[in-house]
Amino acid sequence: MKLEELPQERSALNGYTRELCYGKDEEGKFRPGLSSGWEVKAAALDLAWDDVNERIEEAAELVKRGKKSPLYYLMIKNLMDSSILSSYTGLWRIRLKRHFKPSVYKRLSDKVLARYAEAFNISVEEIRGMEL
Amino acid sequence: MDSKFEHIQSAHCENGVVVKLLKSRGITQINEPMAFGIGSGLFYVHIPFLKLNNAPALSFRTMPGRIFKQTCNFLDIDFASKRFANPRKAAAYLDNLLGQGIAVGCQVGVFNLSYLPVEYRFHFNAHNIIVFGKEGGSYLISDPTMEAPTRLDEAELLKARYARGLYAPKGHLYYIQGSGDLAISEDELRRAVLKGIKRNVRDMLYIPGNIAGVKGIKYTGNNIRKWRDELGLRKAGRYLGHIVRMQEEIGTGGGGFRFLYAAFLQQAAELFDNEQLVRASEEFSHAGDLWRGSAVKMAGVFKGRASEQSDFNEISELFYEISDLEKGAFQRLSKIVKGNV
């Protein structure tokens, strides 16, 4: 990789920072240089987000159809899985799974919901009032 | 902002923190490639059955925290590393260090880092930043992957230090102990470089099992060959996209850290005035180019331009070629350091 060939293409980091990469100068010596981005990896990141957005839409659909509670949607929306959510809320995964059932969710106390609210960075009222 | 503090940008966060913490104590010989090499940063591992963000778990670098610890150990520098069960104590401890004018490395999760674009904010907890001061309610932050220093308020930093999930930081902070300027001699530097190379040879050639080191690269190559049939084109493409991200995304310096390692060996060659190290550096430079070439091929698949089994075979063969190349290079390095250069 030559320094002058460092790609200067698009990136989600545009407007935030350029990233430092290593390449060879004219004398063949490796030096740091700045790259604005590389299409190949920008496309890979797009792909990851397509995936995420697809999962969010699926989750919203499940909530609308009454198959899952809004907590499930919020977990997916926050890019979490049940193990991450479990560590943020301090609730066991088996309990999370129960709380994803709309019938169980409806009976949850504010105290339990507050744990979710903190994990999702929103208020209990926002969770209760959620419409998809 | 503290005008005496000079922000240093690096490719990889942990390297950058090491460079800066050493520099803040007067040690200027350690630049990013040096930290990466002495810390034996280069690695490869593909963990089967573990899925990260619904894709295979693989890494092109060593465990988080290792580069700092090992660089300090090999240079005989005393450091402290602490985690806290209680977030309030973690905040107070940090404030106390900052009050003494000590620059502190902090492990953080990126999900809640407001200065990063949202596209980069996954639940990734092995990010490292330097906290170098506090003004009013905000911490002065030097994130080595960014071009400029930034700030975080108290709540934000604490949240990032207590991110949960894999590699949860638990308030992890680290710094160099004592005060005043330190110095390392050229002999000490040479010894550390040799130790770093030896350890890296061990990790890449002799680690047991077939999923890590140069063998791990073939393991992934074998998997890729089967993905089209086993997973279908769509999912296989997503997996390849994930590999490209791990390999080329911000923090790698390009080519899955291989250019960084080539840069390190070039500096080592100068330090020891050794032609063979120059050749080894060239091999890693070539490996980096091949890794980048494989990323282009993988992008061809997930962008829908290449969809045949032969395309997957080609990528797989590239992984084999890279594995053999790196194996040869590390065997050569092994001989060089055994003769103590």
Side-chain angles (χ1 to χ4, degrees):
Chain A
M1 179 92 206
K2 287 184 183 153
L3 261 188
E4 61 199 39
E5 288 166 0
L6 274 186
Q8 305 296 341
E9 295 165 6
R10 75 176 170 109
S11 159
L13 292 166
N14 294 162
Y16 288 85
T17 186
R18 286 173 295 173
E19 53 187 298
L20 193 135
C21 294
Y22 284 81
K24 284 178 178 175
D25 66 13
E26 303 89 26
E27 282 140 31
K29 197 167 177 196
F30 272 101
R31 288 187 194 284
L34 291 172
S35 159
S36 68
W38 188 25
E39 175 57 34
V40 164
K41 61 191 199 188
L45 187 59
D46 287 349
L47 194 70
W49 277 96
D50 285 351
D51 232 16
V52 168
N53 289 328
E54 218 170 81
R55 282 203 297 276
I56 294 173
E57 271 168 41
E58 276 168 21
E61 195 52 41
L62 286 171
V63 176
K64 271 189 231 161
R65 295 215 318 262
K67 303 269 185 209
K68 296 274 185 196
S69 75
L71 298 177
Y72 176 78
Y73 168 80
L74 284 166
M75 171 179 81
I76 303 293
K77 179 111 177 42
N78 281 281
L79 313 183
M80 295 177 176
D81 56 21
S82 59
S83 92
I84 298 178
L85 183 57
S86 161
S87 56
Y88 270 104
T89 55
L91 301 169
W92 287 15
R93 281 162 84 172
I94 195 151
R95 277 187 85 189
L96 301 184
K97 219 171 160 190
R98 272 175 52 73
H99 298 168
F100 293 159
K101 286 188 187 159
S103 56
V104 177
Y105 163 74
K106 269 182 218 143
R107 286 181 278 127
L108 288 181
S109 66
D110 277 5
K111 207 174 141 197
V112 173
L113 273 189
R115 294 192 178 203
Y116 285 100
E118 203 190 330
F120 298 140
N121 260 332
I122 57 175
S123 67
V124 171
E125 292 70 39
E126 278 173 292
I127 296 181
R128 287 222 193 269
M130 243 186 68
E131 275 178 48
L132 291 169
Chain B
M1 203 152 282
D2 187 346
S3 59
K4 289 188 306 262
F5 188 88
E6 177 212 357
H7 173 75
I8 299 176
Q9 193 184 5
S10 61
H12 188 258
C13 59
E14 191 177 336
N15 297 339
V17 172
V18 175
V19 171
K20 184 66 212 182
L21 292 187
L22 291 175
K23 213 167 180 186
S24 73
R25 296 293 299 280
I27 296 175
T28 54
Q29 297 107 307
I30 308 295
N31 58 15
E32 177 172 22
M34 271 290 167
F36 186 69
I38 294 174
S40 307
L42 202 75
F43 195 47
Y44 187 88
V45 61
H46 179 157
I47 304 168
F49 311 119
L50 179 64
K51 294 270 184 291
L52 268 183
N53 299 312
N54 301 298
L58 48 89
S59 176
F60 289 80
R61 49 152 286 142
T62 185
M63 279 157 16
R66 160 110 179 255
I67 295 177
F68 174 71
K69 245 186 231 162
Q70 196 175 294
T71 303
C72 288
N73 280 338
F74 286 176
L75 290 170
D76 272 330
I77 287 166
D78 289 333
F79 66 92
S81 170
K82 284 189 188 310
R83 290 170 202 268
F84 307 85
N86 181 342
R88 239 181 309 165
K89 283 193 181 142
Y93 201 92
L94 174 64
D95 288 352
N96 181 21
L97 290 172
L98 294 173
Q100 298 170 49
I102 296 173
V104 184
C106 280
Q107 185 191 339
V108 292
V110 300
F111 188 73
N112 285 305
L113 287 185
S114 57
Y115 61 81
L116 290 176
V118 71
E119 288 88 339
Y120 276 86
R121 286 157 58 184
F122 290 91
H123 291 277
F124 173 71
N125 290 332
H127 190 52
N128 292 275
I129 58 176
I130 300 159
V131 185
F132 65 92
K134 196 175 183 185
E135 267 179 20
S138 355
Y139 288 101
L140 308 180
I141 305 288
S142 169
D143 182 327
T145 60
M146 307 284 285
E147 277 182 87
T150 180
R151 284 165 185 257
L152 285 173
D153 68 34
E154 284 177 347
E156 262 184 310
L157 179 62
L158 206 55
K159 198 150 202 169
R161 292 178 69 196
Y162 279 88
R164 305 287 175 87
L166 188 67
Y167 295 131
K170 300 192 174 87
H172 184 206
L173 58 74
Y174 49 96
Y175 56 97
I176 295 171
Q177 284 190 321
S179 60
D181 273 2
L182 301 166
I184 45 171
S185 68
E186 198 163 304
D187 262 1
E188 285 169 318
L189 182 60
R190 283 188 186 159
R191 265 203 302 278
V193 166
L194 283 180
K195 282 183 184 169
I197 295 176
K198 273 184 191 161
R199 192 64 65 88
N200 224 143
V201 167
R202 190 188 77 182
D203 290 348
M204 286 298 282
L205 294 184
Y206 303 119
I207 191 160
N210 65 340
I211 58 159
V214 294
K215 283 178 280 180
I217 302 172
K218 283 195 179 166
Y219 177 81
T220 307
N222 271 330
N223 274 279
I224 290 173
R225 199 185 291 275
K226 293 181 247 162
W227 279 352
R228 188 172 178 273
D229 280 348
E230 277 178 7
L231 307 169
L233 200 51
R234 194 181 131 85
K235 198 166 180 192
R238 311 232 141 170
Y239 275 28
L240 293 178
H242 182 75
I243 298 182
V244 170
R245 281 181 48 227
M246 295 299 103
Q247 180 187 317
E248 296 297 332
E249 210 28 283
I250 182 163
T252 68
F257 297 94
R258 269 56 189 171
F259 295 134
L260 249 173
Y261 204 68
F264 160 67
L265 290 176
Q266 242 179 19
Q267 291 176 25
E270 260 175 55
L271 194 64
F272 289 99
D273 193 17
N274 182 300
E275 265 306 304
Q276 285 172 291
L277 284 170
V278 176
R279 237 168 295 147
S281 162
E282 277 307 311
E283 285 176 304
F284 283 101
S285 170
H286 183 43
D289 289 333
L290 289 179
W291 278 115
R292 278 176 66 85
S294 81
V296 173
K297 286 228 162 74
M298 290 189 266
V301 174
F302 63 72
K303 283 178 141 189
R305 286 194 305 259
S307 56
E308 302 301 319
Q309 179 58 38
S310 61
D311 297 312
F312 283 81
N313 291 347
E314 255 182 67
I315 298 166
S316 170
E317 276 150 30
L318 256 175
F319 274 62
Y320 265 71
E321 186 184 347
I322 293 169
S323 173
D324 287 337
L325 175 65
E326 293 190 359
K327 187 177 177 184
F330 273 112
Q331 283 170 338
R332 216 174 322 283
L333 280 177
S334 173
K335 277 186 204 141
I336 299 172
V337 293
K338 264 187 197 141
N340 258 344
V341 185

